[in-house]
Amino acid sequence: MKIKHGITNIIKKYKHAWVFLYAFIYLPWFMYLEKNITIHSEFHVIHAEIDDKIPFIEYFIIPYFLWFVFVLAVFLYFFFTNIEEFYKLAKLSFIGMTLFLLISTIFPNGVELRPIEFTRDNIFIDMVKFLYRADTPTNVFPSLHVFNSVAASIAIYESQELKKHRYICIGAYILTGFIILATMFLKQHSVIDVIGGLLMSYVLYQFIYVTEKKKVLKVYEQGI
C-alpha cells in the first residue's frame, strides 16, 4: 500500500510531464523530413553573401554540442521547481518547433556551406565530422539551435528565483551567444537561419510572456 501510495503521489506531483508527449509528434515528423529532404533532393538553398565571409572554426563544436545539455537542463530545472514557468517554456519551445516543422514541410530548405575538405586534423575536426555525418545540411530555417537557446534564456530571464543567481544567468546568456555563433562558424546555418530563429523567439515571446504580463497587470489594476 505504501508503494502504491508513493507512486500515486509522484504521478500527482509530476502530472505536468504529459507535456513531453509532444516528442511523439515532433520526432516522427522531423525524422520524416530528414529522410525525405536530403542533399539528393530539391530544396531551397538558404544563403547570404555574409555567409561566405564567416570562417569555419571547429572549436565552436563545443558550445554547439552543449546546446543539448543546456536546453535539457533548463527544462528539467523548471519541471522540478516551477510548474507555471515550465508550461510557459514548453509552450514557447513547442510552438516554435512546430512552426519550424511546418516551414520545413512547406518550404524544403538547406545550406551548402560545409567545407568539402578540412585543412586541419584534430579532435575538434573529428567531432565536426561526426556532426556532419549525423545531421544533414537540410531543414535549417529557422535555426532551432538559435531558437531553443533563446527560449531557454528567456525562461531564465523571466524567472524571479533565478534572478537571485546573477552568475548563473550571465553564464546562460553567454552560452546562448556562443551557441548562436557556433551555428554559423561550423557552417551549419546561414545568417538568414539565425535571424529567423531570433525573430521567431521574439514574436512568440510577445504572445506568451508579454501578453500574459499585461493580462495580470490589467486584473491587478481592476482589483485596486
Side-chain angles (χ1 to χ4, degrees):
M1 288 296 292
K2 287 184 178 180
I3 294 176
K4 185 178 179 181
H5 182 68
I7 293 174
T8 302
N9 287 337
I10 290 174
I11 292 174
K12 287 182 179 179
K13 185 177 181 180
Y14 299 116
K15 61 184 178 181
H16 50 293
W18 71 268
V19 169
F20 292 121
L21 291 174
Y22 175 73
F24 292 100
I25 297 174
Y26 178 80
L27 290 176
W29 194 346
F30 179 75
M31 294 306 296
Y32 169 81
L33 292 172
E34 283 289 281
K35 183 178 179 181
N36 290 277
I37 302 174
T38 69
I39 56 174
H40 303 296
S41 61
E42 292 185 6
F43 59 82
H44 299 84
V45 178
I46 307 294
H47 181 264
E49 286 188 18
I50 192 173
D51 293 329
D52 301 325
K53 295 180 170 134
I54 299 174
F56 168 79
I57 302 178
E58 68 270 24
Y59 306 112
F60 276 95
I61 193 66
I62 300 301
Y64 191 88
F65 278 154
L66 281 176
W67 173 81
F68 298 95
V69 178
F70 175 51
V71 173
L72 178 61
V74 175
F75 258 96
L76 290 179
Y77 170 79
F78 287 107
F79 177 82
F80 288 111
T81 63
N82 192 313
I83 297 176
E84 183 180 351
E85 293 301 318
F86 169 75
Y87 275 130
K88 286 182 185 177
L89 172 60
K91 190 176 181 181
L92 173 63
S93 299
F94 297 164
I95 289 177
M97 291 163 69
T98 302
L99 288 174
F100 158 78
L101 292 172
L102 287 170
I103 292 170
S104 296
T105 302
I106 299 170
F107 181 73
N109 58 82
V111 293
E112 295 178 344
L113 300 171
R114 292 178 175 181
I116 298 175
E117 57 183 26
F118 299 97
T119 58
R120 298 181 291 277
D121 186 18
N122 53 54
I123 187 172
F124 302 104
I125 291 292
D126 292 337
M127 293 169 71
V128 172
K129 289 179 179 178
F130 170 78
L131 171 64
Y132 284 0
R133 288 194 300 269
D135 187 24
T136 69
T138 56
N139 310 311
V140 296
F141 179 85
S143 168
L144 277 190
H145 253 67
V146 171
F147 171 74
N148 283 133
S149 297
V150 174
S153 286
I154 287 173
I156 291 171
Y157 175 78
E158 291 291 331
S159 170
Q160 295 301 314
E161 183 60 34
L162 286 178
K163 282 181 180 178
K164 300 174 186 176
H165 305 280
R166 182 184 175 194
Y167 293 108
I168 291 178
C169 295
I170 292 174
Y173 304 149
I174 291 174
L175 177 57
T176 294
F178 274 108
I179 291 171
I180 292 172
L181 291 174
T183 64
M184 295 177 284
F185 283 107
L186 291 179
K187 300 301 178 178
Q188 280 288 93
H189 287 280
S190 164
V191 171
I192 296 173
D193 304 326
V194 171
I195 293 173
L198 292 172
L199 284 175
M200 187 164 69
S201 59
Y202 174 77
V203 171
L204 291 179
Y205 168 70
Q206 300 302 311
F207 281 102
I208 295 168
Y209 283 88
V210 176
T211 302
E212 184 168 324
K213 283 182 182 178
K214 290 179 179 178
K215 287 180 180 178
V216 172
L217 182 60
K218 186 175 181 180
V219 171
Y220 174 76
E221 290 175 344
Q222 289 176 345
I224 294 177

